[in-house]
């Protein structure tokens, strides 16, 4: 628990400091950068760090210290005593009978060939025709064929992940985010679910409260709960979390209302394409929220799996087709800046993942934070996940670094977000056509994989009877009506950060008259008659998305007894 | 914390119950078994369980319940609310807009070809000449080419691991261990370090004590410490942990001597080729220890990475060459039975790993325990590691199941242990030649990767002066003398379960006269003059092992001022 003085000693909110950028890395700058940074080690399980791959951080301040946030468990972690002996390995001629690393002659994998797309021909069909085969041998390093091979990748590694892939993600992070403090580092993870588990144990103790969106990624809330960490959900609007609401909650924090829990110290947020609401925070929103975090000394866990799935705005079904950005710079500057890129204090841990942009089965991602936090994070990985699969790491390295390079990877991301934009547009066009606007509102998602329906329930037929249904009952009715018609959606209540118990009691106020809301789509937010559904456009085919939305529209109309389609008679 | 009654209600120790085995699986029985068990699912992220791949467990008792051992954190884990919706997916024609599983058309991997040995031609050279290339496509399932493909492996999976690989390890576990209770299950893990982290959080709370060997795998002890769990080290002999010692400690447990910690409830042990001592518990030793665990209701974490590296006995440098077993049955019956195979109560969680027998970089293993414990374990994985890399999983499946089969895998293991035996024999022959027996004793390892030197320090030259060195100082002197001569070993004190603080004070009693011990290799164990060194024969080449042992011998001679080699003048 942080002593109260830790909060009191923070300065008042001030404008975000914009550092003088003297060595901002670009895609084209990577080759000359690599001439200046450390060579990749050729040995087994070599120690490494982002620091040896970063450019000059001259002029940037150092991150603040977070000693008061680090849990007892994390504080007590010590470097592995066995790994300490590795420093003697540099001695020429030394023979090690120390570490129990198996000899590579007993790894029964001689060679791995992987067929991947050749940029910009990314589709499955094009890959079949024009794809590149990356060849990965067991002794490529010794044979001078590559800087990474199976002899290294199939053996034990360090808890930072391999130097080869770490260099790539460090450069990528610098190209995309260029954190404005000097002592940032990245480290590979076995995916963001694992990274979050580690972060929760690093920053929280039993009885703590985690700030998050009112509707939040349920796995995060459910991961925190058994650790004795409850979520405090902050009200949201169509840009996600509302900073003024968070400020109000923190300024008036009363432990007595939260079973004695002290004022929260950590915010978990998904700023782009938030799961489940699909909301994306604008740059202004992010600046405002960062200031509130400075004011109350809040540390930020920025979970950003969907960052590169930011889309061009939805302009209706008849709009002209989207035009891809003309350069990597145009693409990168079209993305809303991350918290990491605004983080002058070093108060952000950013969680990146290959799951949504390469493949979930890689079980590989990375986190970026200040040296102090990353060091604790590595200590945790040493005694748990160790590092991502070496097979995943070497395939990602061969693909992203040796085959595509940073430019090819950005081309892939540009292509990918075009596909997701097309999928979103199919879903939104189907919504315009099939979803009854009498009871439903939505905001077009600007990023990610999810669309969020707001259902206004006060015109539900049961409200005309003496036993009106509760919000949770109506939600269930719609959900099951969807299933009966052949569409599976996700119920909003599953995502309520503080749980859905209160929805069991709430009955929405009765609408003045059936059909009134059709003429007044501006519904009073104080009505509290809203329930929500999440639909993903990531998985099903375009045709199936359209069919599924039509079915969901039918489910809504049958639940509410609506006989017109979208305000028009059917 | 378990209530005291939980211990009191245990029955007294009794003979191990040997069940009537009615459906013991053999390698040759696998094809007909598979006709009787569930077909492999073809869908994305399907739910699965060992239960659907096991044979009849008729006549076996159910495991005991371990509610009193399960930690608060583990008890509070709930199944993922999102994953609960998966049950609707069985409905024909249903379109899911539910889970955010990316479409496989956006996985930039079209095909993976892997070259592996064709049994029994396992060497690197033979693999180059006669190896098999396993081809893994994206849509092999749809195209009828395989039961597993990249479309499934590269997407999200369940926290059990994939059905394909889980079936293989379930069958393998049944063939090798055939647990004598009915409701055992296996589940894939991201390696035993991660599995142990999960097990520690499942069974321990802050203030608990973990029973383990006096000299123990340091990573386990160091993983437990930040969780507030201290180790209690049990005295060992050349067969490892001494059951009577554990019984004595538990029978006379006094919380006051352990900062108020209650009587321990869990034992962590490495029964075969223990790290660091190389000790292997005999079957009699295991039966005796299991009885002590029954008596005191102790749960057993059986960490067995070296199980298949059990070796034929060392018969000296001039013995005739080892003969491999003539059949799989002969091989399996030559192995000391595991605790899992003796576990009539379901009080064992066995940790298996592919790290030492396939490759550490796979970051893949599995655990086996009773259904109750496995269910809690899966709940933990859902919110942390999720599952091993899909790329690792599909390569292991293709190798072990489709290409080698259970028989080919056992052939590989037989071949592997022959290689480790050869390596051990090189090391032992070198010890006979180079290590001064005046101050050193050892037992030939019967399994694993490690050799353990006992150094008797009472003849150290400083003991003839007025300021004799402490045990820790002598250990450091030998270690550094080794480094100076070009050999890295591991210091025994790094592995002391209860830490090495007391070694800082202990000065061994002075030997009667220099050289006395050369004539009396039976050294009084109460002398307390012993320090230890670990040397691995896993990593260096045979030539280097010999060179390194010669250097270590020199380090010992120089430290102790010995001018003869191994008792003979040099």
């Amino acid at each position: 628990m942080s002593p109260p003085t830790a909060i009191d000693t923070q300065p008042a909110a001030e404008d975000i400091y914009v550092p003088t950028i003297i060595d901002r890395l670009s895609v084209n700058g990577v080759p000359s950068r690599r001439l200046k940074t450390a060579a990749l080690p050729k040995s087994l399980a070599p120690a490494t760090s982002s620091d040896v791959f970063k450019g000059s951080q001259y002029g940037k301040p150092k991150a603040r210290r977070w000693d008061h946030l680090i849990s007892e468990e994390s504080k007590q972690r010590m470097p592995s005593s066995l790994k300490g002996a590795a420093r003697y390995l540099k001695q020429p001629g030394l023979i090690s009978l120390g570490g129990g690393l198996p000899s590579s002659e007993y790894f029964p994998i001689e060679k791995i060939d992987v067929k991947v797309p050749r940029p910009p021909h990314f589709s499955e069909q094009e890959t079949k025709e024009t794809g590149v085969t990356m060849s990965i041998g067991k002794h490529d390093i010794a044979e001078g064929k590559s800087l990474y091979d199976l002899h290294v990748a199939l053996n034990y590694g360090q808890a930072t992940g391999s130097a080869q892939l770490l260099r790539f993600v460090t450069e990528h992070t610098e190209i995309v985010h260029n954190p404005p403090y000097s002592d940032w580092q990245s480290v590979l993870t076995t995916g963001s679910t694992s990274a979050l588990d580690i972060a929760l144990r690093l920053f929280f103790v039993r009885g703590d409260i985690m700030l998050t969106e009112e509707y939040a990624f349920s796995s995060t809330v459910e991961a925190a709960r058994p650790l004795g960490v409850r979520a405090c959900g902050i009200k949201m609007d169509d840009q996600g979390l509302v900073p003024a609401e968070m400020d109000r909650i923190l300024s008036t924090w009363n432990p007595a209302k939260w079973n004695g829990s002290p004022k929260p110290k950590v915010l978990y947020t998904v700023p782009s394409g938030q799961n489940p609401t699909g909301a994306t925070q604008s740059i202004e929103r992010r600046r405002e929220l960062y200031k509130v975090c400075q004011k109350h000394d809040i540390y930020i866990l920025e979970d950003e799996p969907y960052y590169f799935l930011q889309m061009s705005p939805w302009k209706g079904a008849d709009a002209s087709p989207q035009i891809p950005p003309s350069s990597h710079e145009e693409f990168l500057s079209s993305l809303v800046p991350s918290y990491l890129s605004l983080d002058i204090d070093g108060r952000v841990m950013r969680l990146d993942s290959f799951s949504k942009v390469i493949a979930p089965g890689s079980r590989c991602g990375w986190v970026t934070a200040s040296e102090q936090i990353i060091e604790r994070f590595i200590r945790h990985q040493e005694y748990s996940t160790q590092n991502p699969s070496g097979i995943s790491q070497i395939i990602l390295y061969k693909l992203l670094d040796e085959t595509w390079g940073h430019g090819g990877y950005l081309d892939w991301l540009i292509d990918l977000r075009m596909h997701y934009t097309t999928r979103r547009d199919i879903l939104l066009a189907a919504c315009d056509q099939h979803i009854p606007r009498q009871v439903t509102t939505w905001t077009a998602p600007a990023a990610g994989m999810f669309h969020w329906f707001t259902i206004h329930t006060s015109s539900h037929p049961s409200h005309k009877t003496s036993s009106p249904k509760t919000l949770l009952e109506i939600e269930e009715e719609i959900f099951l009506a969807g299933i009966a018609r052949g569409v599976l959606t996700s119920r909003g209540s599953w995502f309520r950060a503080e749980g859905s118990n209160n929805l069991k009691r709430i009955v929405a106020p009765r609408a003045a008259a059936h059909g009134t809301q059709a003429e007044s789509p501006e519904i009073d937010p104080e009505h509290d008659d809203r329930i929500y559904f999440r639909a993903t456009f990531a998985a099903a085919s375009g045709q199936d998305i359209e069919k599924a939305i039509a079915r969901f529209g039918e489910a809504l109309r049958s639940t509410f007894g609506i006989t017109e389609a979208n305000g028009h008679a059917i």
Side-chain angles (χ1 to χ4, degrees), chain A residues 13-21 57-62 178-182 287 290-291 294 340-345:
Chain A
E14 46 187 327
D15 282 329
I16 307 279
Y17 165 78
V18 180
T20 313
I21 294 158
Q57 304 289 312
Y58 182 79
K60 296 180 181 177
K62 279 196 88 169
N178 192 26
Y181 66 97
S182 62
R287 289 207 169 109
Y290 192 84
K291 274 190 198 173
Q294 288 185 308
L340 179 61
S341 74
L342 304 174
D343 184 24
I344 192 71
D345 297 337

Side-chain angles (χ1 to χ4, degrees), chain A residues 446-468:
Chain A
M449 300 183 155
F450 300 109
H451 182 62
W452 188 241
F453 293 106
T454 303
I455 317 287
H456 305 270
T457 63
S458 53
S459 65
H460 187 271
S462 73
H463 284 52
K464 286 182 237 162
T465 71
S466 58
S467 54

Side-chain angles (χ1 to χ4, degrees), chain A residues 540-562:
Chain A
S541 68
Q543 220 174 8
D544 274 358
I545 290 175
E546 208 186 325
K547 217 185 284 180
I549 291 296
R551 292 172 181 179
F552 189 59
E554 281 168 36
L556 286 168
R557 275 193 297 275
S558 99
T559 303
F560 286 93
I562 299 171

Side-chain angles (χ1 to χ4, degrees), chain A residues 391-413:
Chain A
I391 310 175
S392 288
Q393 287 192 67
I394 198 166
I395 289 179
L396 286 168
Y397 167 79
K398 284 276 172 176
L399 174 68
L400 298 174
D401 194 309
E402 276 193 14
T403 307
W404 286 357
H406 286 281
Y409 182 43
L410 293 182
D411 290 339
W412 165 261
L413 294 170

